[in-house]
Amino acid sequence: LYYLALGINDCIQYGTSYIGQVSDINDEDWTLNSDTFYGNYGKIIQQLKNHAPNARFVMITVMRPDSMNPNYSTFSNAIKGIANHYGFPVIEPIKDQAFSQSVLTYLQSNHPTYAGWNAIGRIIERQTSKVINDNMSYFNLINL
């Protein structure tokens, strides 16, 4: 099981002009993918799939509120578009009620504290259980 959780740094460093579109993903030859968020995410996914063909993937949307950067939701929507393209389930930690805890809004050098990472881990665990139960056919790998 691979968790794919990219986007915060891309949003901050490159902005929305970097996002691109789903057509930037070339399913036949990932080396032809465009140099965009979509295209580069597709490169990563294809290489992981080549390395581990029976692996399963869960994509995670940006774990920051739009109040910190109004473009975070734009990147989260791109992540959902990429997940849809590949047929991967998505979890959205920011939508978890626990995400409003102050421990998650207090950052050190733009990163969560140890307590924040602990809370994020619990959110990811809870949402992973739900996404697996909601997508049993995707995760059913009895005959590897």
Side-chain angles (χ1 to χ4, degrees), residues 77-97:
N77 288 334
I79 290 165
K80 289 186 257 185
I82 295 164
N84 184 59
H85 176 80
Y86 286 104
F88 297 161
V90 177
I91 58 177
E92 299 182 73
I94 196 79
K95 291 188 175 182
D96 193 288
Q97 65 183 12

Side-chain angles (χ1 to χ4, degrees), residues 63-75:
M63 291 186 268
R64 297 276 173 86
D66 277 356
S67 60
M68 294 179 76
N69 185 323
N71 295 327
Y72 285 148
S73 62
T74 305
F75 275 79

Side-chain angles (χ1 to χ4, degrees), residues 1 19 24 28 57 65 78 80 84 101 121 137 140:
L1 176 64
I19 288 179
D24 293 340
E28 294 178 28
F57 299 85
K80 289 186 257 185
N84 184 59
Q101 298 173 10
S137 62
N140 187 5

